[in-house]
Amino acid sequence: MSKHPQANILRAIADGKVVQMRSTVNMKDNDWWEPADVLSYIGSGTHEFRIKPETININGFDVPIPMREPLKLGQMYFFVHCWDDAVVSEVIWNGDRIDRHRLKWGLIHSTKEAAIAHAEALLSFTRSDR
């Protein structure tokens, strides 16, 4: 018997974790949200599911927890910086001193969106353009 395509989501629900979903049909409504009854959407084929990422709070902003373990060689990641308007950069992990420092300082994320949220939270302490 093959594994159910949403086995990890079903397991997360059984374990009491929060599951989020978003539409794969209506791209205008592409934000993640938490339905009251996620099970009713599981077989629809019109939604994508994920376990809600764990977050930390920085100055009132919920930010996805930065990566804490070394990445695989050649794996892409995004790191937070504040030296230009981009506030994040995408690089490839090669395990050098700079990669290890970024990891130690908690500045590495697996997605651009998470890194931007982290940068925006940090800048909220000192930004003068708001």
Side-chain angles (χ1 to χ4, degrees):
M1 179 186 273
S2 63
K3 182 178 168 182
H4 189 282
Q6 297 295 344
N8 63 329
I9 296 299
L10 294 169
R11 193 170 296 109
I13 293 168
D15 290 343
K17 295 183 179 173
V18 177
V19 173
Q20 297 177 319
M21 61 184 245
R22 67 179 174 186
S23 175
T24 56
V25 177
N26 183 359
M27 298 315 280
K28 290 180 185 175
D29 183 27
N30 207 20
D31 290 335
W32 292 99
W33 58 286
E34 298 164 19
D37 181 18
V38 70
L39 290 174
S40 64
Y41 295 93
I42 290 283
S44 71
T46 59
H47 292 84
E48 179 181 5
F49 302 91
R50 72 175 184 186
I51 299 165
K52 182 178 181 180
E54 292 185 59
T55 61
I56 56 174
N57 188 287
I58 301 174
N59 200 27
F61 291 81
D62 286 327
V63 175
I65 292 178
M67 299 175 88
R68 301 291 188 204
E69 299 294 326
L71 286 69
K72 294 179 184 173
L73 287 178
Q75 184 176 348
M76 297 291 264
Y77 71 87
F78 297 85
F79 75 94
V80 176
H81 64 72
C82 297
W83 59 71
D84 63 28
D85 288 341
V87 300
V88 301
S89 291
E90 180 179 15
V91 294
I92 296 173
W93 177 271
N94 64 23
D96 65 8
R97 183 181 62 80
I98 294 171
D99 284 341
R100 291 190 314 274
H101 278 290
R102 290 175 185 150
L103 182 68
K104 176 182 164 186
W105 295 332
L107 300 174
I108 293 178
H109 291 273
S110 61
T111 68
K112 184 176 184 177
E113 295 77 20
I116 289 171
H118 191 161
E120 292 294 326
L122 292 174
L123 290 169
S124 72
F125 285 104
T126 57
R127 182 174 267 164
S128 64
D129 65 342
R130 297 213 168 164

